[in-house]
Amino acid sequence: MVRTYKAVEVSAPEVLRVAERPITEPGPGQVRIRVEACGICHTDAATVMGAYPGLTLPRVPGHEVVGRVEALGSGVAKWKIGQRVGVGLIAGEDGICEPCRRGDMVNCQNPVTLGVTVDGGYAEVMIAESRALASIPDELNSAEAAPLLCAGITTYNALRNAGLRGGDLVAVQGIGGLGHLGIQFARHMGFHTVALGRGGDKEKLAKDLGAHLYIDTANDDAAAALQRMGGARAILATAPSGDGMGPLVSGLAVRGKLIIVGVPQDQIQLNAFPLVFGGRSIYGSLTGTAIEQEDTLAFSILENIRPMIETVPLEQAADAYARMMQGKARFRMVLVTKDVKS
Ligand SMILES: NC(=O)c1ccc[n+]([C@@H]2O[C@H](COP(=O)([O-])OP(=O)(O)OC[C@H]3O[C@@H](n4cnc5c(N)ncnc54)[C@H](OP(=O)(O)O)[C@@H]3O)[C@@H](O)[C@H]2O)c1
Ligand SMILES: [Zn+2]
Ligand SMILES: [Zn+2]
């Protein structure tokens, strides 16, 4: 008898449907994971809309995956059956392209991309490359660990690699899955932390998460407000809005950095004047590697940082995805396949 598992796949653009699939054995260097939790990241929209370059359908989205190893392919020595592991977006580098050969695995030019080139974690079972696994510490349950594997590492890495110093004025724009973790990381790294959101409804939440100040970008000129405080050393832009990002350059201090982690559909319009006069810069940052995921988890435990999550059963993935897209998630929807505490 063929054993099967339940998965939620994108069968056509914008269609998420529950499917029954045959369980397969992991190939050399791979493991099979019994998924316990998978966060719903805004990047999943590129799979659901069928827009990710190189994507073919049907495809199972999901790249904030935590589960237990249930089968080992040949040559897998580091991981054991029953061990709890996680996988993120860049789920295996090719090891041979120029960035890989220079040790810059996250920028691999031919990566295994979870939920894009291979099936992801909106499922009961998933095959993963063992070299891309992160170990999940006991202090974190699966549902709260999952968002740290993309939303968490993306904001954590961007902030810790930005050359900042304790006390620097740092703003986090966009208070969603990424942003609500970015605020916590910025605060716990010792920065003067400003949250930039649109509307007043997230002010209290942002302050509860650790923001010293909240600026409502719908009513206030965020760049002017930041300049009155001396200018931000860095602004971490997470909101998927090019319109919202461009003007922020004017809120930076001299030599300040606008770090782009959100990936808007629209263009970012930039004024060269504040870039040139003041040596300000703008650059992007892409998630991170498995060992950096372990760093993110360790820092989160150390500083008692947790994602705010709403858990839903796997079968309700389409509704949970819609809730995220409507900006209603507080702050991360997490699909669970069994009773995991939230
Ligand atoms: N660089 C990477 O490696 C990486 C990793 C993961 C995700 N991403 C990208 O990061 C972006 C955010 O992902 P996410 O999962 O955090 O999405 P999310 O949970 O949907 O959050 C996005 C937030 O941005 C806010 N927002 C939208 N437009 C805004 C504006 N003009 N001003 C202020 N806030 C605005 C939304 O708030 P309201 O709508 O409630 O106002 C929402 O809370 C996506 O583009 C995603 O693809 C990149
Ligand atoms: Zn993601
Ligand atoms: Zn490579």
Side-chain angles (χ1 to χ4, degrees), residues 41-43 150 154 173-179 196-198 202 217 238-241 244 261-264 285-287 324 327 331-332:
C41 176
H42 204 107
T43 303
C150 180
T154 300
Q173 178 242 16
I175 306 165
L178 266 64
L196 309 178
R198 53 175 180 191
K202 291 183 188 164
T217 58
T238 81
S241 160
V261 289
V263 189
S285 181
L286 174 64
T287 184
M324 180 278 296
F331 279 101
R332 202 46 138 197

Side-chain angles (χ1 to χ4, degrees), residues 92-101 104-111:
E93 72 285 357
D94 66 359
I96 55 172
C97 71
E98 176 159 348
C100 279
R101 292 177 67 208
D104 186 8
M105 289 8 178
V106 80
N107 286 311
C108 178
Q109 298 300 288
N110 184 32

Side-chain angles (χ1 to χ4, degrees), residues 231-254:
R233 301 299 313 168
I235 302 175
L236 181 64
T238 81
S241 160
D243 258 0
M245 288 176 177
L248 295 176
V249 173
S250 301
L252 293 170
V254 163

Side-chain angles (χ1 to χ4, degrees), residues 184-254:
Q184 296 185 69
F185 288 129
R187 175 65 188 253
H188 286 272
M189 288 178 188
F191 306 138
H192 186 172
T193 304
V194 178
L196 309 178
R198 53 175 180 191
D201 59 318
K202 291 183 188 164
E203 175 164 5
K204 180 171 185 317
L205 283 164
K207 287 190 173 160
D208 289 348
L209 290 164
H212 295 97
L213 181 76
Y214 177 86
I215 299 174
D216 172 1
T217 58
N219 283 308
D220 289 327
D221 178 342
L226 290 168
Q227 283 305 342
R228 283 196 294 276
M229 300 172 75
R233 301 299 313 168
I235 302 175
L236 181 64
T238 81
S241 160
D243 258 0
M245 288 176 177
L248 295 176
V249 173
S250 301
L252 293 170
V254 163

